[in-house]
Amino acid sequence: MEIVLAESLGFCMGVKRVVDMAYRALDKASGLPVVTFGPLIHNSQEIARLTASGIAVADEATLPEKGTVIIRAHGIAPQAYEELKARGLKIMDGTCPYVHYSQRKAAELQREGYKVVIVGDRHHPEITGILGFINDDAIVVESLEEVEALPQLDRIGVIAQTTISPKKYNAILDALRRRAVEVNVCETICDATEENQAAVRELSGEVDLLYVIGGRHSANSNKLVETARDKCPRSFLIETADEINSSDLSGVGRIGISAGASTPDWMIQRVIERLREIEKSLANHR
Ligand code: SF4
């Protein structure tokens, strides 16, 4: 039984960076609390591991009086940053560099006199953070219908949520171009999730069975399984190694593995170990 990993899988750079930052902060905390400002990641197993290590999730109401607070990869508004500073907490800023770029670009566009248009989910923390950099003075659109409902616009500067699907974004951009006199587009889409998609697409044509490791409610993990099933109908989403059914593996030659953007390396490793155990037990029963 051969196990083949997708060329790109699991944590994106921004999530890996902030999770590493949290564990480093704990090493240097000298017994003082370390908290994350909101959950760092949409993966309950990794959150449980962080909590068990002593890194709790906090919000405005539950922040400690002393210690370190980690800002997650989505970033926060400058006003929220100042509030954390005013509490006297040590701040470690885990804002993803790509999100920092969007924040800077939004402010720059506004200074240059453009009306900022953000394409994405207005309730997503990344967008709330960016809005804070431009005093909430922007139009946020998420669908073609919302663009069609806009009045005629003059000079607009467009920022995309980093994780939006390029296909959806391009359709919205075309609609915005028909609605505005001048459109200045900033390239702010991050290709991390697209890289995982491209890698699973390729791998799915080369294996007999494929596991995507990720949360059942994770949109990007479900999309990976959907993509994989085009070429490999025996593609399954599993949250943990315990969900692997040994009867599925009988007679399977090559197994592919992919993982959602919130799946840590140690969970991928556990799946590989479990597959090796099953391989051994199947060999013993021959
Ligand atoms: S912008 Fe890209 S690299 Fe950064 S956290 Fe989001 S998905 Fe990850």
Side-chain angles (χ1 to χ4, degrees):
M1 192 163 80
E2 190 186 354
I3 300 169
V4 193
L5 297 186
E7 246 181 48
S8 170
L9 77 169
F11 272 6
C12 62
M13 173 277 292
V15 169
K16 181 167 181 1
R17 182 173 167 271
V18 73
V19 171
D20 289 349
M21 188 181 278
Y23 285 114
R24 272 203 317 278
L26 188 65
D27 285 344
K28 295 187 193 155
S30 317
L32 290 173
V34 175
V35 298
T36 65
F37 196 47
L40 276 197
I41 177 173
H42 298 296
N43 180 292
S44 49
Q45 290 81 11
E46 182 62 35
I47 292 287
R49 190 171 183 240
L50 284 158
T51 311
S53 312
I55 303 168
V57 179
D59 56 22
E60 285 88 351
T62 56
L63 280 167
E65 283 177 10
K66 289 184 201 159
T68 305
V69 59
I70 317 280
I71 295 173
R72 55 191 175 167
H74 302 310
I76 55 173
Q79 302 80 349
Y81 189 97
E82 289 308 317
E83 279 166 30
L84 291 177
K85 222 161 101 183
R87 287 173 183 251
L89 292 163
K90 180 175 174 194
I91 302 172
M92 290 186 75
D93 189 354
T95 307
C96 174
Y98 295 139
V99 177
H100 263 315
Y101 177 77
S102 298
Q103 295 168 341
R104 277 200 311 275
K105 274 294 175 189
E108 203 177 294
L109 287 168
Q110 191 175 58
R111 273 198 306 277
E112 289 170 2
Y114 290 97
K115 178 76 186 174
V116 177
V117 176
I118 304 175
V119 182
D121 171 2
R122 60 177 55 74
H123 303 296
H124 191 282
E126 176 187 321
I127 304 304
T128 319
I130 295 171
L131 283 167
F133 281 77
I134 48 177
N135 300 316
D136 287 344
D137 182 12
I139 297 168
V140 184
V141 285
E142 205 183 346
S143 65
L144 280 174
E145 294 70 35
E146 286 179 12
V147 178
E148 300 308 337
L150 292 175
Q152 192 60 33
L153 299 162
D154 186 17
R155 298 173 71 224
I156 60 169
V158 187
I159 301 275
Q161 185 172 337
T162 50
T163 48
I164 196 169
S165 115
K167 194 172 159 203
K168 179 175 176 182
Y169 183 51
N170 286 331
I172 290 181
L173 265 186
D174 285 346
L176 284 169
R177 285 196 177 99
R178 290 193 292 273
R179 270 212 127 56
V181 176
E182 184 190 336
V183 181
N184 186 343
V185 179
C186 293
E187 293 304 330
T188 54
I189 294 189
C190 161
D191 51 15
T193 43
E194 199 38 49
E195 278 172 14
N196 285 2
Q197 285 289 337
V200 85
R201 200 171 293 123
E202 194 175 325
L203 180 62
S204 60
E206 302 165 0
V207 294
D208 307 313
L209 181 146
L210 193 144
Y211 288 117
V212 173
I213 313 158
R216 247 173 260 302
H217 302 293
S218 150
N220 89 80
S221 302
N222 278 295
K223 203 164 159 226
L224 286 170
V225 184
E226 235 174 76
T227 304
R229 279 190 186 143
D230 277 348
K231 289 190 195 153
C232 178
R234 292 172 76 192
S235 295
F236 305 102
L237 178 67
I238 52 170
E239 281 200 354
T240 67
D242 302 337
E243 292 173 33
I244 297 174
N245 196 338
S246 58
S247 59
D248 288 342
L249 301 175
S250 169
V252 169
R254 296 189 98 206
I255 299 177
I257 295 183
S258 173
S262 300
T263 305
D265 285 352
W266 62 268
M267 289 184 69
I268 300 171
Q269 212 43 52
R270 288 222 177 133
V271 167
I272 296 172
E273 284 160 17
R274 169 91 182 116
L275 288 171
R276 290 285 170 233
E277 279 165 23
I278 294 174
E279 183 182 27
K280 265 192 211 152
S281 90
L282 288 174
N284 289 340
H285 284 90
R286 261 180 220 139

PDB file of all heavy atoms in Angstrom, residues 211-236:
ATOM      1  N   TYR A 211      -8.120  10.352   1.009  1.00  0.00           N
ATOM      2  CA  TYR A 211      -8.684  10.938   2.229  1.00  0.00           C
ATOM      3  C   TYR A 211      -8.350  12.425   2.275  1.00  0.00           C
ATOM      4  O   TYR A 211      -7.198  12.809   2.072  1.00  0.00           O
ATOM      5  CB  TYR A 211      -8.087  10.290   3.488  1.00  0.00           C
ATOM      6  CG  TYR A 211      -8.580   8.880   3.731  1.00  0.00           C
ATOM      7  CD1 TYR A 211      -7.694   7.815   3.720  1.00  0.00           C
ATOM      8  CD2 TYR A 211      -9.920   8.626   3.991  1.00  0.00           C
ATOM      9  CE1 TYR A 211      -8.135   6.514   3.949  1.00  0.00           C
ATOM     10  CE2 TYR A 211     -10.375   7.330   4.214  1.00  0.00           C
ATOM     11  CZ  TYR A 211      -9.480   6.290   4.192  1.00  0.00           C
ATOM     12  OH  TYR A 211      -9.929   5.017   4.412  1.00  0.00           O
ATOM     13  N   VAL A 212      -9.365  13.223   2.566  1.00  0.00           N
ATOM     14  CA  VAL A 212      -9.128  14.635   2.865  1.00  0.00           C
ATOM     15  C   VAL A 212      -9.325  14.766   4.367  1.00  0.00           C
ATOM     16  O   VAL A 212     -10.373  14.381   4.901  1.00  0.00           O
ATOM     17  CB  VAL A 212     -10.124  15.550   2.111  1.00  0.00           C
ATOM     18  CG1 VAL A 212      -9.979  16.994   2.571  1.00  0.00           C
ATOM     19  CG2 VAL A 212      -9.923  15.442   0.602  1.00  0.00           C
ATOM     20  N   ILE A 213      -8.328  15.275   5.060  1.00  0.00           N
ATOM     21  CA  ILE A 213      -8.449  15.433   6.521  1.00  0.00           C
ATOM     22  C   ILE A 213      -8.892  16.875   6.794  1.00  0.00           C
ATOM     23  O   ILE A 213      -8.205  17.826   6.377  1.00  0.00           O
ATOM     24  CB  ILE A 213      -7.100  15.155   7.217  1.00  0.00           C
ATOM     25  CG1 ILE A 213      -6.478  13.867   6.677  1.00  0.00           C
ATOM     26  CG2 ILE A 213      -7.264  15.085   8.734  1.00  0.00           C
ATOM     27  CD1 ILE A 213      -4.973  13.792   6.898  1.00  0.00           C
ATOM     28  N   GLY A 214     -10.026  17.008   7.458  1.00  0.00           N
ATOM     29  CA  GLY A 214     -10.500  18.369   7.716  1.00  0.00           C
ATOM     30  C   GLY A 214     -11.815  18.349   8.460  1.00  0.00           C
ATOM     31  O   GLY A 214     -12.461  17.302   8.589  1.00  0.00           O
ATOM     32  N   GLY A 215     -12.222  19.514   8.944  1.00  0.00           N
ATOM     33  CA  GLY A 215     -13.472  19.626   9.701  1.00  0.00           C
ATOM     34  C   GLY A 215     -14.678  19.397   8.792  1.00  0.00           C
ATOM     35  O   GLY A 215     -14.669  19.814   7.632  1.00  0.00           O
ATOM     36  N   ARG A 216     -15.709  18.741   9.339  1.00  0.00           N
ATOM     37  CA  ARG A 216     -16.904  18.492   8.550  1.00  0.00           C
ATOM     38  C   ARG A 216     -17.598  19.794   8.140  1.00  0.00           C
ATOM     39  O   ARG A 216     -18.291  19.856   7.148  1.00  0.00           O
ATOM     40  CB  ARG A 216     -17.889  17.641   9.372  1.00  0.00           C
ATOM     41  CG  ARG A 216     -18.035  16.281   8.739  1.00  0.00           C
ATOM     42  CD  ARG A 216     -18.825  15.306   9.525  1.00  0.00           C
ATOM     43  NE  ARG A 216     -17.979  14.382  10.267  1.00  0.00           N
ATOM     44  CZ  ARG A 216     -17.072  13.590   9.714  1.00  0.00           C
ATOM     45  NH1 ARG A 216     -16.856  13.618   8.418  1.00  0.00           N
ATOM     46  NH2 ARG A 216     -16.340  12.777  10.448  1.00  0.00           N
ATOM     47  N   HIS A 217     -17.387  20.854   8.945  1.00  0.00           N
ATOM     48  CA  HIS A 217     -18.029  22.136   8.606  1.00  0.00           C
ATOM     49  C   HIS A 217     -17.073  23.076   7.878  1.00  0.00           C
ATOM     50  O   HIS A 217     -17.390  24.239   7.670  1.00  0.00           O
ATOM     51  CB  HIS A 217     -18.563  22.812   9.878  1.00  0.00           C
ATOM     52  CG  HIS A 217     -19.530  21.947  10.601  1.00  0.00           C
ATOM     53  ND1 HIS A 217     -20.755  21.628  10.058  1.00  0.00           N
ATOM     54  CD2 HIS A 217     -19.456  21.284  11.784  1.00  0.00           C
ATOM     55  CE1 HIS A 217     -21.397  20.812  10.892  1.00  0.00           C
ATOM     56  NE2 HIS A 217     -20.617  20.591  11.936  1.00  0.00           N
ATOM     57  N   SER A 218     -15.893  22.563   7.546  1.00  0.00           N
ATOM     58  CA  SER A 218     -14.915  23.428   6.873  1.00  0.00           C
ATOM     59  C   SER A 218     -15.221  23.477   5.380  1.00  0.00           C
ATOM     60  O   SER A 218     -15.181  22.468   4.685  1.00  0.00           O
ATOM     61  CB  SER A 218     -13.501  22.882   7.129  1.00  0.00           C
ATOM     62  OG  SER A 218     -12.654  23.201   6.044  1.00  0.00           O
ATOM     63  N   ALA A 219     -15.535  24.688   4.888  1.00  0.00           N
ATOM     64  CA  ALA A 219     -15.921  24.841   3.477  1.00  0.00           C
ATOM     65  C   ALA A 219     -14.777  24.399   2.571  1.00  0.00           C
ATOM     66  O   ALA A 219     -14.991  23.695   1.586  1.00  0.00           O
ATOM     67  CB  ALA A 219     -16.287  26.292   3.197  1.00  0.00           C
ATOM     68  N   ASN A 220     -13.553  24.770   2.931  1.00  0.00           N
ATOM     69  CA  ASN A 220     -12.467  24.442   2.000  1.00  0.00           C
ATOM     70  C   ASN A 220     -12.145  22.952   2.006  1.00  0.00           C
ATOM     71  O   ASN A 220     -11.771  22.391   0.979  1.00  0.00           O
ATOM     72  CB  ASN A 220     -11.251  25.370   2.189  1.00  0.00           C
ATOM     73  CG  ASN A 220     -10.260  24.865   3.190  1.00  0.00           C
ATOM     74  OD1 ASN A 220      -9.447  24.005   2.891  1.00  0.00           O
ATOM     75  ND2 ASN A 220     -10.332  25.382   4.399  1.00  0.00           N
ATOM     76  N   SER A 221     -12.351  22.249   3.139  1.00  0.00           N
ATOM     77  CA  SER A 221     -12.125  20.796   3.167  1.00  0.00           C
ATOM     78  C   SER A 221     -13.184  20.080   2.327  1.00  0.00           C
ATOM     79  O   SER A 221     -12.882  19.163   1.564  1.00  0.00           O
ATOM     80  CB  SER A 221     -12.177  20.260   4.598  1.00  0.00           C
ATOM     81  OG  SER A 221     -11.213  20.909   5.384  1.00  0.00           O
ATOM     82  N   ASN A 222     -14.437  20.513   2.451  1.00  0.00           N
ATOM     83  CA  ASN A 222     -15.508  19.897   1.651  1.00  0.00           C
ATOM     84  C   ASN A 222     -15.276  20.113   0.158  1.00  0.00           C
ATOM     85  O   ASN A 222     -15.533  19.238  -0.656  1.00  0.00           O
ATOM     86  CB  ASN A 222     -16.870  20.470   2.065  1.00  0.00           C
ATOM     87  CG  ASN A 222     -17.393  19.769   3.316  1.00  0.00           C
ATOM     88  OD1 ASN A 222     -17.684  18.582   3.276  1.00  0.00           O
ATOM     89  ND2 ASN A 222     -17.472  20.482   4.418  1.00  0.00           N
ATOM     90  N   LYS A 223     -14.734  21.304  -0.163  1.00  0.00           N
ATOM     91  CA  LYS A 223     -14.469  21.590  -1.579  1.00  0.00           C
ATOM     92  C   LYS A 223     -13.341  20.689  -2.095  1.00  0.00           C
ATOM     93  O   LYS A 223     -13.348  20.251  -3.245  1.00  0.00           O
ATOM     94  CB  LYS A 223     -14.098  23.070  -1.724  1.00  0.00           C
ATOM     95  CG  LYS A 223     -14.349  23.556  -3.112  1.00  0.00           C
ATOM     96  CD  LYS A 223     -14.364  25.067  -3.189  1.00  0.00           C
ATOM     97  CE  LYS A 223     -14.088  25.455  -4.640  1.00  0.00           C
ATOM     98  NZ  LYS A 223     -13.113  26.496  -4.803  1.00  0.00           N
ATOM     99  N   LEU A 224     -12.381  20.375  -1.230  1.00  0.00           N
ATOM    100  CA  LEU A 224     -11.286  19.481  -1.639  1.00  0.00           C
ATOM    101  C   LEU A 224     -11.833  18.092  -1.984  1.00  0.00           C
ATOM    102  O   LEU A 224     -11.436  17.487  -2.977  1.00  0.00           O
ATOM    103  CB  LEU A 224     -10.241  19.364  -0.515  1.00  0.00           C
ATOM    104  CG  LEU A 224      -9.317  20.570  -0.297  1.00  0.00           C
ATOM    105  CD1 LEU A 224      -8.516  20.413   0.990  1.00  0.00           C
ATOM    106  CD2 LEU A 224      -8.368  20.772  -1.465  1.00  0.00           C
ATOM    107  N   VAL A 225     -12.772  17.599  -1.157  1.00  0.00           N
ATOM    108  CA  VAL A 225     -13.350  16.266  -1.423  1.00  0.00           C
ATOM    109  C   VAL A 225     -14.130  16.286  -2.742  1.00  0.00           C
ATOM    110  O   VAL A 225     -14.002  15.386  -3.569  1.00  0.00           O
ATOM    111  CB  VAL A 225     -14.309  15.820  -0.291  1.00  0.00           C
ATOM    112  CG1 VAL A 225     -14.811  14.415  -0.524  1.00  0.00           C
ATOM    113  CG2 VAL A 225     -13.610  15.879   1.045  1.00  0.00           C
ATOM    114  N   GLU A 226     -14.896  17.352  -2.917  1.00  0.00           N
ATOM    115  CA  GLU A 226     -15.681  17.485  -4.154  1.00  0.00           C
ATOM    116  C   GLU A 226     -14.759  17.432  -5.373  1.00  0.00           C
ATOM    117  O   GLU A 226     -15.020  16.700  -6.326  1.00  0.00           O
ATOM    118  CB  GLU A 226     -16.333  18.867  -4.140  1.00  0.00           C
ATOM    119  CG  GLU A 226     -17.822  18.890  -4.308  1.00  0.00           C
ATOM    120  CD  GLU A 226     -18.287  20.317  -4.125  1.00  0.00           C
ATOM    121  OE1 GLU A 226     -18.099  21.117  -5.046  1.00  0.00           O
ATOM    122  OE2 GLU A 226     -18.792  20.627  -3.018  1.00  0.00           O
ATOM    123  N   THR A 227     -13.682  18.185  -5.312  1.00  0.00           N
ATOM    124  CA  THR A 227     -12.717  18.221  -6.429  1.00  0.00           C
ATOM    125  C   THR A 227     -12.128  16.831  -6.631  1.00  0.00           C
ATOM    126  O   THR A 227     -12.035  16.343  -7.753  1.00  0.00           O
ATOM    127  CB  THR A 227     -11.578  19.227  -6.106  1.00  0.00           C
ATOM    128  OG1 THR A 227     -12.175  20.473  -5.838  1.00  0.00           O
ATOM    129  CG2 THR A 227     -10.585  19.353  -7.250  1.00  0.00           C
ATOM    130  N   ALA A 228     -11.735  16.180  -5.544  1.00  0.00           N
ATOM    131  CA  ALA A 228     -11.085  14.866  -5.642  1.00  0.00           C
ATOM    132  C   ALA A 228     -12.024  13.832  -6.264  1.00  0.00           C
ATOM    133  O   ALA A 228     -11.597  12.969  -7.036  1.00  0.00           O
ATOM    134  CB  ALA A 228     -10.643  14.415  -4.256  1.00  0.00           C
ATOM    135  N   ARG A 229     -13.329  13.915  -5.957  1.00  0.00           N
ATOM    136  CA  ARG A 229     -14.276  12.887  -6.430  1.00  0.00           C
ATOM    137  C   ARG A 229     -14.460  12.893  -7.951  1.00  0.00           C
ATOM    138  O   ARG A 229     -14.869  11.895  -8.523  1.00  0.00           O
ATOM    139  CB  ARG A 229     -15.636  13.055  -5.746  1.00  0.00           C
ATOM    140  CG  ARG A 229     -15.593  12.434  -4.378  1.00  0.00           C
ATOM    141  CD  ARG A 229     -16.949  12.342  -3.711  1.00  0.00           C
ATOM    142  NE  ARG A 229     -16.757  11.867  -2.351  1.00  0.00           N
ATOM    143  CZ  ARG A 229     -17.445  12.270  -1.309  1.00  0.00           C
ATOM    144  NH1 ARG A 229     -18.386  13.178  -1.457  1.00  0.00           N
ATOM    145  NH2 ARG A 229     -17.193  11.782  -0.113  1.00  0.00           N
ATOM    146  N   ASP A 230     -14.113  14.003  -8.594  1.00  0.00           N
ATOM    147  CA  ASP A 230     -14.212  14.043 -10.065  1.00  0.00           C
ATOM    148  C   ASP A 230     -13.407  12.910 -10.691  1.00  0.00           C
ATOM    149  O   ASP A 230     -13.856  12.240 -11.596  1.00  0.00           O
ATOM    150  CB  ASP A 230     -13.647  15.375 -10.611  1.00  0.00           C
ATOM    151  CG  ASP A 230     -14.698  16.463 -10.544  1.00  0.00           C
ATOM    152  OD1 ASP A 230     -15.866  16.125 -10.314  1.00  0.00           O
ATOM    153  OD2 ASP A 230     -14.326  17.641 -10.724  1.00  0.00           O
ATOM    154  N   LYS A 231     -12.180  12.723 -10.190  1.00  0.00           N
ATOM    155  CA  LYS A 231     -11.322  11.689 -10.778  1.00  0.00           C
ATOM    156  C   LYS A 231     -11.175  10.469  -9.884  1.00  0.00           C
ATOM    157  O   LYS A 231     -10.780   9.396 -10.329  1.00  0.00           O
ATOM    158  CB  LYS A 231      -9.926  12.270 -11.034  1.00  0.00           C
ATOM    159  CG  LYS A 231      -9.896  13.276 -12.164  1.00  0.00           C
ATOM    160  CD  LYS A 231      -8.458  13.604 -12.501  1.00  0.00           C
ATOM    161  CE  LYS A 231      -8.366  14.848 -13.344  1.00  0.00           C
ATOM    162  NZ  LYS A 231      -7.082  15.515 -13.156  1.00  0.00           N
ATOM    163  N   CYS A 232     -11.450  10.616  -8.602  1.00  0.00           N
ATOM    164  CA  CYS A 232     -11.303   9.494  -7.675  1.00  0.00           C
ATOM    165  C   CYS A 232     -12.604   9.389  -6.854  1.00  0.00           C
ATOM    166  O   CYS A 232     -12.730  10.028  -5.796  1.00  0.00           O
ATOM    167  CB  CYS A 232     -10.087   9.735  -6.757  1.00  0.00           C
ATOM    168  SG  CYS A 232      -9.856   8.433  -5.557  1.00  0.00           S
ATOM    169  N   PRO A 233     -13.573   8.602  -7.359  1.00  0.00           N
ATOM    170  CA  PRO A 233     -14.875   8.541  -6.674  1.00  0.00           C
ATOM    171  C   PRO A 233     -14.768   8.065  -5.221  1.00  0.00           C
ATOM    172  O   PRO A 233     -15.617   8.416  -4.393  1.00  0.00           O
ATOM    173  CB  PRO A 233     -15.672   7.533  -7.514  1.00  0.00           C
ATOM    174  CG  PRO A 233     -14.943   7.428  -8.823  1.00  0.00           C
ATOM    175  CD  PRO A 233     -13.514   7.775  -8.571  1.00  0.00           C
ATOM    176  N   ARG A 234     -13.711   7.305  -4.917  1.00  0.00           N
ATOM    177  CA  ARG A 234     -13.557   6.851  -3.518  1.00  0.00           C
ATOM    178  C   ARG A 234     -12.750   7.878  -2.734  1.00  0.00           C
ATOM    179  O   ARG A 234     -11.651   7.620  -2.252  1.00  0.00           O
ATOM    180  CB  ARG A 234     -12.892   5.473  -3.489  1.00  0.00           C
ATOM    181  CG  ARG A 234     -13.809   4.391  -4.054  1.00  0.00           C
ATOM    182  CD  ARG A 234     -13.084   3.093  -4.193  1.00  0.00           C
ATOM    183  NE  ARG A 234     -12.893   2.427  -2.925  1.00  0.00           N
ATOM    184  CZ  ARG A 234     -12.090   1.378  -2.745  1.00  0.00           C
ATOM    185  NH1 ARG A 234     -11.408   0.898  -3.777  1.00  0.00           N
ATOM    186  NH2 ARG A 234     -11.970   0.812  -1.571  1.00  0.00           N
ATOM    187  N   SER A 235     -13.268   9.078  -2.636  1.00  0.00           N
ATOM    188  CA  SER A 235     -12.612  10.142  -1.855  1.00  0.00           C
ATOM    189  C   SER A 235     -13.484  10.446  -0.656  1.00  0.00           C
ATOM    190  O   SER A 235     -14.703  10.623  -0.783  1.00  0.00           O
ATOM    191  CB  SER A 235     -12.439  11.401  -2.711  1.00  0.00           C
ATOM    192  OG  SER A 235     -11.572  11.148  -3.773  1.00  0.00           O
ATOM    193  N   PHE A 236     -12.860  10.490   0.521  1.00  0.00           N
ATOM    194  CA  PHE A 236     -13.631  10.656   1.768  1.00  0.00           C
ATOM    195  C   PHE A 236     -13.086  11.797   2.614  1.00  0.00           C
ATOM    196  O   PHE A 236     -11.868  12.007   2.661  1.00  0.00           O
ATOM    197  CB  PHE A 236     -13.560   9.371   2.610  1.00  0.00           C
ATOM    198  CG  PHE A 236     -14.012   8.140   1.867  1.00  0.00           C
ATOM    199  CD1 PHE A 236     -13.080   7.251   1.348  1.00  0.00           C
ATOM    200  CD2 PHE A 236     -15.359   7.884   1.673  1.00  0.00           C
ATOM    201  CE1 PHE A 236     -13.479   6.111   0.667  1.00  0.00           C
ATOM    202  CE2 PHE A 236     -15.775   6.742   0.982  1.00  0.00           C
ATOM    203  CZ  PHE A 236     -14.833   5.851   0.477  1.00  0.00           C
TER     204      PHE A 236
END
